[in-house]
Structures are given as C-alpha cells and as structure tokens.
C-alpha cells in the first residue's frame, strides 16, 4: 500500500521519537497548583524565546487566542482584526460568544497586513454611541493569506499606533516560528511590539498537543485565571510540555526545509494547466491555489486527489490549500505534482 501524502495541514504531524522519549520520562506535578516542573520549564523557555516576562501553557491555539482576547477586553469592548483572521473565521466566534467582545473586521491585504490608516481610522472616539476600542489583533504568519510573513516595520508601526491610542496589540503567532525562520529574525524581535502573543507547538513543530501565550506578568496572571475559567487548567500535563520543549529545541530551524518544499510545490503547480497561483507569494509552508479548468471545482479536485493518495483541503469553491511539514519529503512533493497533473488531464 502506498502511503498517503497528507498536505491538509501541519497539524497532522505526529510526535517525533525524541518527543515520545521526553514524554515518557517527563517529571510531572499538578499544574493548577503550579507544581509541574516540566510545564514551568516550558513556560520559562517560551517567555525567554519571545522576550516576554512570562508565559502560560494552554491546550490549543484557539484557547490561547481566546484567553488573550478575554484578558485584554471586557464585555462590549471592541477588537480590530483582519477579515481573514483565524480568530474571526475559525474559532467559532469564541471571543464574542464567551467574552462578549465585539469584533470589528477590516480588510486584510493579500500580504496579511491591515492598512495602517484604516486601522487608525477605525479606532473609536469617546462617544456613548460607540463600543470602546481596546485591542488590535494581527496574525503572523497569516494562514488564510497564504502563510505570508508580516514585515517587521509594519508590526512595529501597528504597535506604536496601539500604544499611542491606549490600545493593546495581540499577535496570533500559531506559526510565528515559520515567520522567524523565513525572515532570519528571532521570534522575540517579531513580537517586540506586542502586548501578548499566542504560539503553537503542534503545527510545524510537530508536538502532539499544546500552545502558549506570553506577555507581561500581569497579563499572564489574568490569562491564567481565564484559562481556568474556560476549563483549560490541566494537571500532570508535563507529559505534553515535554514534547513542546523538544519541539522548541529541535524543530524550529528545520522549518526552512518545509518552506523550500512549499516553494517547489508552488512553482510546480503554477506550471500545470488548469491551476492558478503566483509562486512569488509563497513565503513559508502554506500554498493556496485555484483550480481554473472548466468543469472542475475545489471539491472535485480534492476528492480526485484523495483517491490517488494526496490529501489537501478545499477552502473555497475553487480554492485549495496544501501545507508542507516534517512528514513531507522532497519526493512527496514531486509525486504530488505528478498526481495533480495526471488527475487534471483526465
Ligand atoms: N489552524 C488550523 C485550522 O484551524 C484552520 C489549520 O489547519 O491551519 N491561529 C492560526 C493562525 C491557526 O492557523 C490555527 C489553526 C489556530 C490559531 C488554532 O490552533 P488550534 O488548532 O491549536 O486551536
């Protein structure tokens, strides 16, 4: 049986042998009492890597974003974010549902940024008709904008705007590690302007479970309370944190390989009749493309590919997403291209 090439997401990666060993050997304790030494070690490591005072281990990126938003905003407060943001599209409106936070979306440019003037213009004045604007949320890399990396000076400018207007800046950095590797910058530099950041270990870094949020000690104190409120206080979760530590120590630099595979995939796809994409926009490990062959749509193409052992997600009527990760080899990319071409020729 040939193995499946699973390009649906980097979330499908399984723990490495080193992670499994670390998990088996992890020292643990009750983390709600703050007594899990492995979680404490992970949180210190994350705070250091992100240049923040403190960090908190959470079960998922979704919970990391939710408790960050809830730690910055009260009910009826407004959050400015892009219309393509993961927080807006894929988190069930949790910040509105759970926290009563009002999302105000502004168009994301194709590069994942939100126009600075539009952001500035959207901040509400002191008027009893309006909600109070409290938070700006950015995403880096930007998932629905094709894994694009936000320019450093842009993040800094948004941070300066937020500070000048008394707002907080949160960065959804589920794939911040990919952004750092793509830019050749430290993750800390990328979030220097942010008041809070969420990062994931279980995407390209291949840990089985887990994310973290980081920020000031006071922010983390509030986030810790929120985590407990939404049921994310875990007990001997050091077995999970152990894998996350291995992820941080061993799996970040190799993301460059995933980016090279994504570029090769994008160039190959761009040369196939019936596919449209601009390979120049592929900066990290996410490749979006459109099927433009008459009689085809994304659902039909993803089903036809799945039948040949290649899995991708259809994310729009004609749009598909392929994500590279550490279980995808250079040979898998070549085989994928051969299969896409063959399928579209039928
Ligand atoms: N993204 C998943 C899906 O939810 C779409 C994926 O396959 O890409 N922020 C960003 C930018 C994300 O891409 C994701 C997951 C999350 C947050 C949420 O992380 P989890 O899945 O851990 O809750």
């Amino acid at each position: 049986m040939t193995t499946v090439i699973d390009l649906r997401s980097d979330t499908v990666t399984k723990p490495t042998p080193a992670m499994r060993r670390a998990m088996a050997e992890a020292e643990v304790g009750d983390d709600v009492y703050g007594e899990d030494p492995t979680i404490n070690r992970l949180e210190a490591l994350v705070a250091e890597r992100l240049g923040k005072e403190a960090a908190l281990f959470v079960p998922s990126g979704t919970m990391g974003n939710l408790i960050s938003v809830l730690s910055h905003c009260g009910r009826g407060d407004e959050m400015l974010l892009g219309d393509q943001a993961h927080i807006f599209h894929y988190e069930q409106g949790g910040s509105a549902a759970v926290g009563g936070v009002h999302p105000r979306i502004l168009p994301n440019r194709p590069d994942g940024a939100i126009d600075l003037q539009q952001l500035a213009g959207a901040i509400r004045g002191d008027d009893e008709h309006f909600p109070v604007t409290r938070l700006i949320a950015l995403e880096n890399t930007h998932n629905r904008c094709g894994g694009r990396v936000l320019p450093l000076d842009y993040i800094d400018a948004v941070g300066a705007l937020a500070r000048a207007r008394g707002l907080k800046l949160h960065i959804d950095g589920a794939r911040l590690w990919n952004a750092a590797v793509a830019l050749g910058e430290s993750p800390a530099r990328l979030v220097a302007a942010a008041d809070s950041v969420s990062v994931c270990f279980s995407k390209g870094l291949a840990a089985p479970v887990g994310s973290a949020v980081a920020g000031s000690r006071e922010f983390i104190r509030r986030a810790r309370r929120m985590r407990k409120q939404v049921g994310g206080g875990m007990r001997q979760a050091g077995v999970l944190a152990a894998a996350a530590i291995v992820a941080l120590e061993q799996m970040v630099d190799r993301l460059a390989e995933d980016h090279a595979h994504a570029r090769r995939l994008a160039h190959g796809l761009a040369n196939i009749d019936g596919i449209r994409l601009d390979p120049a926009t592929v900066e990290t490990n996410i490749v979006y493309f459109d099927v433009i062959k008459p009689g085809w749509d994304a659902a039909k193409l993803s089903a036809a590919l799945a039948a040949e052992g290649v899995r991708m997600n259809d994310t729009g009527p004609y749009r598909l997403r392929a994500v590279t990760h550490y279980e995808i080899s250079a040979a898998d990319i070549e085989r994928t291209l051969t299969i896409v071409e063959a399928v579209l020729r039928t």
Side-chain angles (χ1 to χ4, degrees):
M1 197 190 88
T2 48
T3 50
V4 169
I5 300 174
D6 195 345
L7 295 161
R8 286 173 304 166
S9 183
D10 43 11
T11 59
V12 303
T13 45
K14 297 181 191 69
T16 64
M19 287 177 191
R20 287 180 183 274
R21 275 195 304 276
M23 293 172 81
E25 289 162 12
E27 257 189 90
V28 296
D30 189 327
D31 182 51
V32 172
Y33 290 103
E35 289 173 4
D36 188 300
T38 311
I39 292 183
N40 292 342
R41 193 149 60 85
L42 172 67
E43 290 177 346
L45 181 61
V46 171
E48 186 205 309
R49 291 278 171 102
L50 298 179
K52 300 295 180 200
E53 282 176 6
L56 182 73
F57 187 49
V58 295
S60 67
T62 301
M63 190 186 285
N65 284 332
L66 177 65
I67 68 177
S68 296
V69 173
L70 266 51
S71 298
H72 291 305
C73 303
R75 298 191 73 77
D77 284 346
E78 187 169 70
M79 153 175 69
L80 305 179
L81 78 174
D83 63 353
Q84 298 304 316
H86 191 278
I87 294 178
F88 184 66
H89 275 276
Y90 294 128
E91 301 183 8
Q92 274 196 41
S95 40
V98 181
V101 177
H102 186 252
R104 180 153 179 215
I105 52 168
L106 302 165
N108 270 119
R109 294 192 320 223
D111 67 356
I114 305 165
D115 180 77
L116 209 54
Q117 273 178 342
Q118 282 197 31
L119 261 181
I123 299 168
R124 312 275 190 171
D126 183 12
D127 180 315
E128 69 183 38
H129 293 87
F130 300 152
V132 175
T133 314
R134 289 264 185 236
L135 180 66
I136 299 173
L138 296 177
E139 186 174 314
N140 196 19
T141 66
H142 201 293
N143 182 346
R144 280 178 64 92
C145 291
R148 299 292 295 267
V149 179
L150 294 177
L152 268 183
D153 55 353
Y154 171 76
I155 303 171
D156 290 348
V158 174
L161 171 69
R163 272 194 306 282
R165 304 291 295 269
L167 310 183
K168 300 294 183 192
L169 172 62
H170 173 71
I171 295 181
D172 174 353
R175 297 187 181 82
L176 186 78
W177 322 110
N178 297 77
V181 166
L183 284 181
E185 288 285 350
S186 71
R189 176 64 193 89
L190 270 57
V191 297
D195 298 283
S196 61
V197 54
S198 57
V199 291
C200 291
F201 311 115
S202 83
K203 307 224 158 27
L205 303 191
V209 180
S211 293
V213 295
S216 67
R217 259 185 222 97
E218 175 51 25
F219 165 78
I220 291 298
R221 192 189 63 77
R222 288 197 304 276
R224 200 177 163 90
R225 284 189 62 84
M226 285 296 168
R227 182 184 68 172
K228 191 76 177 76
Q229 189 174 55
V230 298
M234 297 181 286
R235 305 295 177 173
Q236 288 74 26
V239 288
L240 302 177
I245 292 171
V246 175
L248 278 180
E249 288 178 343
Q250 298 182 7
M251 302 297 281
V252 175
D253 292 344
R254 63 149 308 283
L255 292 172
E257 206 177 296
D258 299 343
H259 300 174
H261 290 162
R263 278 195 300 275
R264 167 67 192 129
L265 180 65
H267 281 283
L269 286 171
N271 284 329
I272 294 174
D273 224 22
I275 299 278
R276 183 175 57 203
L277 93 150
D278 176 4
T281 61
V282 174
E283 296 175 339
T284 59
N285 69 329
I286 299 181
V287 180
Y288 281 91
F289 62 94
D290 294 316
V291 53
I292 53 168
K293 185 167 168 165
W296 286 82
D297 60 22
K300 182 174 167 185
L301 180 55
S302 69
L305 292 175
E308 299 299 323
V310 174
R311 306 189 74 179
M312 295 185 189
N313 275 336
D314 43 300
T315 60
Y318 299 97
R319 191 145 248 242
L320 292 96
R321 185 184 80 158
V323 183
T324 57
H325 51 78
Y326 101 107
E327 292 177 25
I328 298 295
S329 66
D332 291 333
I333 299 293
E334 300 310 319
R335 200 169 131 229
T336 298
L337 290 169
T338 306
I339 289 172
V340 174
E341 186 162 33
V343 159
L344 278 177
R345 236 188 290 120
T346 54

